[in-house]
Amino acid sequence: MSKFIIKGGIPLKGNVVISGAKNAAVAIIPAALMSGEPCTIENVPNIRDVHTLIDIITNMGAKIVWLDEHTIEIDPTELRCPMVPYESSKQLRASYYLLGAMIGRFGRATVSMPGGCEIGNRPIDQHLKGFRALGVDICTGNGVINAQASALTGGTIYFDTVSVGATINVMLASVRAQGATVLENAAKEPHVVDVANFLNSLGADIVGAGTDIIRVKGVQKLTGHSYFIMPDQIEAGTFMLCSMVTGGDIEVSNVTPKHLRAITDKLKNMGASITESDDAVRVRMQGELRCTNIKTMPYPGFPTDMQPQIVAALCLAKGTSIVTEGVWENRFKYANELIRLGANLQVNDRTVVVENIPQFKGAPVTATDLRAGAALMIAALAAKDTTELEQIHHIERGYEDIITKLQKLGANISKTHCEGTLTGPIELRGAV
Ligand code: UD1
């Protein structure tokens, strides 16, 4: 087991290059399996979630070659219809995209139910509702989803709730359905658009991605192509907050500033000076942070995946802030760990009241999931003394080379190996 040792209080300065988006990559890689030819995917984030997914699809018969550190070639020609076992699906919740991709390619799939998680109940009823509307028979039992379609046909689906996963999953399957599919009340997140753009580059016919109505005309085959994954807006937002809490000056580059608007707007309210260029944002912080209120919402609202990190920053803001979690029902589990660093937080159901503290104080803390880990890291970078952060495998699931990137900005952070070794598969539930 490893941990991060962080000595805080250093203003971070310089340039950081943002990696490809995790949540786009874990959908685009399964989407590539629907093609009959090899695809090259560039700007792949070199993170644990991607390696887990690659292990799963390699076991299914896909051939993967790393052409360089961020480019993979996926050859799906020898792919077999999958049985994704629980051991795999619990490590990577996004393995549910293999359902949509395999239904699209083979008309059938068997995938274990994704495991539970740390941020609330995570049903997939909307994914299944969408597949059924395309003529797929779904049986669930013994923790397994069996999907079988004698004929995959287009249909109209109104999602009861805005779901990124359901939108992408049903879009995947519908690409190869006979006739037209309409997805209503679809998620508008930039990575939904990225997956649609990728599929269109293979020959799919998808319009409307990025709006709440997506229309898909089924096609008979998809060809190989090369595609460059969009930047990770959550990684970018995390570094923007690192600049703010340390009184720093960071240029966050290889981003799409438009995708960061909800974050940029809040950070400006909190006192940051932010300048945008074509593919970078520069975040400077001088003086005191100011409080603000936030409610997380589906895109283009403030992203839930930035909620723990911004709560960490708001602890240092003058006044009282109220943050409401509008997407997940249980996403304040990290609060107790932040309190160990000196935070003054009161959690009540889906709201946390954040009172100002003058400074965090270093302590041993534990990451409970990916973004919770990022929040603790932000607090530790601002803290007076040294923080030991455990369970960092959560952070490494979604942040590429985080130690090197922070060190280049001047942070005093290192990784050490603790006593004791892992005895079984790493428990990665809470995969968000
Ligand atoms: C994705 C992201 C995750 C992010 C979340 C919300 C990936 C791999 N993960 O997760 O980082 O936090 O979007 O932006 O892209 N719901 C249902 N029924 C369903 C599906 C979802 O009720 O069938 C509910 C969920 O309980 C939740 C809300 O819809 O309250 C949003 O979930 P969803 O957008 O599906 O999240 P994920 O796609 O799993």
Side-chain angles (χ1 to χ4, degrees):
M1 294 249 267
S2 305
K3 59 184 173 185
F4 288 167
I5 311 289
I6 304 168
K7 180 144 178 32
I10 302 169
L12 301 188
K13 295 197 166 131
N15 176 268
V16 62
V17 180
I18 296 306
S19 300
K22 169 181 92 72
N23 287 348
V26 296
I28 284 174
I29 292 170
L33 303 180
M34 294 173 65
S35 169
E37 297 171 6
C39 295
T40 303
I41 317 288
E42 296 171 73
N43 205 29
V44 176
N46 207 326
I47 51 175
R48 200 183 273 231
D49 269 7
V50 164
H51 288 279
T52 305
L53 181 57
I54 285 177
D55 286 349
I56 294 172
I57 65 171
T58 302
N59 284 335
M60 287 161 55
K63 290 200 177 66
I64 313 295
V65 180
W66 284 89
L67 301 179
D68 64 39
E69 209 187 334
H70 296 112
T71 308
I72 53 174
E73 187 185 70
I74 304 179
D75 181 352
T77 45
E78 302 289 310
L79 195 76
R80 299 174 299 274
C81 188
M83 159 70 203
V84 180
Y86 182 58
E87 277 314 305
S88 303
S89 71
K90 80 173 180 191
Q91 287 187 44
L92 181 73
R93 200 181 151 78
S95 54
Y96 55 41
Y97 288 135
L98 293 168
L99 259 179
M102 292 305 98
I103 290 170
R105 169 131 183 212
F106 296 111
R108 62 198 162 85
T110 305
V111 177
S112 284
M113 294 266 203
C117 79
E118 303 297 328
I119 59 172
N121 185 22
R122 300 187 70 177
I124 57 164
D125 57 300
Q126 297 305 304
H127 304 230
L128 303 186
K129 174 182 170 174
F131 295 142
R132 286 191 174 111
L134 302 181
V136 182
D137 285 329
I138 305 275
C139 294
T140 56
N142 301 327
V144 171
I145 304 162
N146 268 303
Q148 177 94 36
S150 43
L152 194 62
T153 47
T156 296
I157 298 114
Y158 182 88
F159 292 113
D160 303 344
T161 187
V162 178
S163 161
V164 175
T167 301
I168 292 177
N169 225 348
V170 182
M171 184 170 77
L172 288 174
S174 67
V175 160
R176 297 284 302 275
Q178 285 167 28
T181 295
V182 182
L183 307 179
E184 297 181 0
N185 199 24
K188 296 181 279 212
E189 267 68 2
H191 53 288
V192 174
V193 181
D194 212 34
V195 179
N197 287 344
F198 170 63
L199 288 165
N200 282 343
S201 77
L202 305 183
D205 185 347
I206 303 171
V207 293
T211 76
D212 56 8
I213 300 187
I214 300 177
R215 296 173 197 279
V216 185
K217 278 192 199 138
V219 294
Q220 294 210 328
K221 72 172 205 167
L222 298 174
T223 55
H225 208 269
S226 173
Y227 192 78
F228 192 91
I229 292 179
M230 61 175 273
D232 196 308
Q233 54 163 333
I234 305 302
E235 187 196 8
T238 303
F239 277 102
M240 290 165 83
L241 285 172
C242 290
S243 181
M244 284 194 73
V245 297
T246 62
D249 181 354
I250 300 182
E251 185 179 56
V252 182
S253 58
N254 186 32
V255 297
T256 308
K258 194 176 116 194
H259 295 162
L260 294 168
R261 280 289 143 70
I263 300 170
T264 306
D265 184 63
K266 280 296 166 194
L267 269 50
K268 281 183 177 168
N269 287 350
M270 289 167 67
S273 156
I274 302 185
T275 44
E276 292 179 7
S277 52
D278 283 353
D279 66 349
V281 288
R282 181 176 171 192
V283 182
R284 278 170 291 176
M285 186 69 212
Q286 285 172 332
E288 279 184 332
L289 270 72
R290 296 193 292 262
C291 61
T292 189
N293 296 335
I294 296 171
K295 180 170 183 184
T296 67
M297 286 192 287
Y299 189 84
F302 190 88
T304 172
D305 288 353
M306 281 298 296
Q307 180 261 102
Q309 301 93 309
I310 204 154
V311 166
L314 286 171
C315 291
L316 301 172
K318 199 163 170 52
T320 304
S321 307
I322 298 176
V323 178
T324 304
E325 174 53 51
V327 178
W328 300 110
E329 64 208 17
N330 189 8
R331 203 166 194 176
F332 292 121
K333 275 198 157 181
Y334 63 87
N336 283 338
E337 295 301 302
L338 264 188
I339 289 168
R340 289 169 62 79
L341 296 175
N344 183 348
L345 304 174
Q346 281 130 42
V347 177
N348 185 4
D349 192 23
R350 284 186 166 217
T351 297
V352 61
V353 179
V354 188
E355 299 287 358
N356 172 242
I357 55 164
Q359 203 167 24
F360 285 111
K361 296 193 180 91
V365 285
T366 302
T368 50
D369 67 42
L370 168 58
R371 307 304 172 187
L376 293 168
M377 208 174 58
I378 286 168
L381 289 166
K384 198 165 146 215
D385 29 43
T386 303
T387 297
E388 294 188 6
L389 175 51
E390 294 186 12
Q391 299 290 323
I392 56 167
H393 58 85
H394 287 299
I395 299 175
E396 291 174 339
R397 275 190 36 233
Y399 289 92
E400 178 175 335
D401 215 1
I402 186 77
I403 291 272
T404 313
K405 286 185 181 183
L406 283 169
Q407 283 172 344
K408 278 191 186 151
L409 295 169
N412 186 341
I413 180 168
S414 56
K415 179 174 169 178
T416 62
H417 296 279
C418 323
E419 299 260 314
T421 49
L422 290 173
T423 51
I426 299 166
E427 183 56 75
L428 290 178
R429 288 183 184 189
V432 287

